[in-house]
Amino acid sequence: MKKTVFSLALGTFGLGMAEFGIMGVLTELAHDTGITIPSAGNMISFYAFGVVIGAPIMALFSGRFSLKHILLFLVTLCVTGNALFTFSSSYPMLALARLISGFPHGAFFGVGAIILSKIAPPGKVTLAVAGMVSGMTVANLIGVPLGTWLGHTYSWRYTFFLIAAFDALVILSVLLWVPPLSDKSETRLAEQFHFLKKPEPWLIFAATMFGNAGVFAWFSFVKPFMLNVSGFSEGFMTAIMMLMGLGMVLGNIVSGRLSGRFSPLRIAATTDLLIVLSLLLLFAFGEHQGASLVMGFLCCAGLFALSAPLQILLLQNAKGGEMLGAAGGQMAFNLGSAIGAYFGGMMITLGFSWSYVTLPAALLSFAAMSSLLFYGHTKAKRAQTALA
């Protein structure tokens, strides 16, 4: 099982580099291909659209093939998308490559979770899934800063060539270490939709989408923000990306530790409030380097601190449709990436300075917190009705 978890963690490491690595090379990508930085930011949105499209399609066809074969197909798409992106120069080809790169993202997490649920001992499934997801956080701590350094020192194309080459090695690890398993349930997909009749899961989806959109409206443009607002030099960007990645790792750890003491709703709503305050302080004090690093660190910590409690809330409100709920959470998360990148870039397109990307970011995060508070109100009202 450890080798299987390691193989899946390698896969999520590659996905993390592909999804987040573009933030550190955004200016190089725009300069090299002759497009504006907001247009380059749209590559983040195209990746997210690929995730939204890919997750339900793979769910429909997952019962026809073995889980291992599906996993191999997904990682092959990762190699194809990132390799195509490496050698693309026109805007349409760049967009197509990012769509292909994002297509396997949500499905990979879903298929990986099913595999681990079948091979992990009782009581160890959550730990095994956490091991798989750890690849994503390590990617932000090590892989993304490495990609930023490559993009700054050589070319952004080296960054994505490295990702494609790494994913090729992931294919080998899947061949060697993932057992041949199948998921042949034919009725589950239809039965999973029943939980969507209630408002609670939709409010959690909204909180997931708006919460991610809020952070991404700023983080999508972290490099130009740090260069143009905070006044850092290009040479500091690798260290800054490592600091942001450390925030994501620590946010995930702290959130997990707090889950034994507080409800997931309280953790998620409080985290969204912290993100809103951090973004507003970034707007007010972003020109101060120390403040921008601290507030940016807190925003990135909040991004992954939200993951565990929102996942728990989805599972609590998707009885009989846990897998569809998990896929919906991934779709909402990545749709939020697209929305955030769009609204952040829109401020620049409208002629505002880079500091203003934090304002729509704060508004979106506030919408996430409001969705969670309304969810809590709805649950409380339903409980009172049941008692009456």
Side-chain angles (χ1 to χ4, degrees), residues 259 262-270 306 308-310 312-313 316 372:
S259 63
F262 303 100
S263 69
L265 175 60
R266 178 171 293 184
I267 295 172
T270 303
L306 287 170
L310 289 175
I312 293 170
L313 287 173
Q316 290 176 348
L372 287 171

Side-chain angles (χ1 to χ4, degrees), residues 55-254:
I57 291 176
M58 293 310 301
L60 289 172
F61 292 99
S62 61
R64 302 184 182 183
F65 306 96
S66 75
L67 296 172
K68 182 172 183 175
H69 286 153
I70 295 172
L71 210 57
L72 288 169
F73 173 71
L74 294 173
V75 183
T76 301
L77 281 178
C78 292
V79 175
T80 303
N82 287 299
L84 183 62
F85 192 73
T86 300
F87 298 104
S88 296
S89 296
S90 67
Y91 186 90
M93 288 303 297
L94 289 167
L96 176 63
R98 288 296 284 178
L99 275 172
I100 296 172
S101 300
F103 190 95
H105 186 111
F108 186 96
F109 278 93
V111 173
I114 295 173
I115 291 173
L116 294 177
S117 69
K118 290 179 176 291
I119 67 172
K124 298 290 185 180
V125 176
T126 302
L127 184 62
V129 173
M132 175 182 70
V133 176
S134 68
M136 178 76 76
T137 59
V138 174
N140 284 285
L141 181 61
I142 299 174
V144 173
L146 174 61
T148 301
W149 176 80
L150 279 173
H152 173 61
T153 308
Y154 300 102
S155 168
W156 65 271
R157 297 183 188 276
Y158 283 85
T159 301
F160 285 90
F161 181 81
L162 175 65
I163 298 171
F166 182 85
D167 285 333
L169 294 177
V170 175
I171 293 177
L172 181 61
S173 75
V174 172
L175 286 169
L176 293 175
W177 295 331
V178 174
L181 299 170
S182 298
D183 186 40
K184 294 295 185 182
S185 176
E186 297 180 357
T187 58
R188 174 168 40 184
L189 186 61
E191 294 173 351
Q192 280 183 347
F193 284 94
H194 292 301
F195 78 95
L196 293 173
K197 296 178 180 179
K198 292 188 276 187
E200 288 89 344
W202 292 104
L203 289 169
I204 301 169
F205 288 148
T208 303
M209 181 184 71
F210 287 125
N212 199 44
V215 176
F216 264 74
W218 169 76
F219 189 59
S220 298
F221 305 98
V222 60
K223 185 169 185 176
F225 184 93
M226 290 296 179
L227 296 180
N228 297 297
V229 179
S230 303
F232 287 100
S233 65
E234 288 268 1
F236 277 97
M237 278 312 301
T238 299
I240 290 172
M241 295 305 288
M242 287 189 70
L243 180 67
M244 300 302 122
L246 179 63
M248 295 176 187
V249 173
L250 294 180
N252 187 41
I253 293 173
V254 171

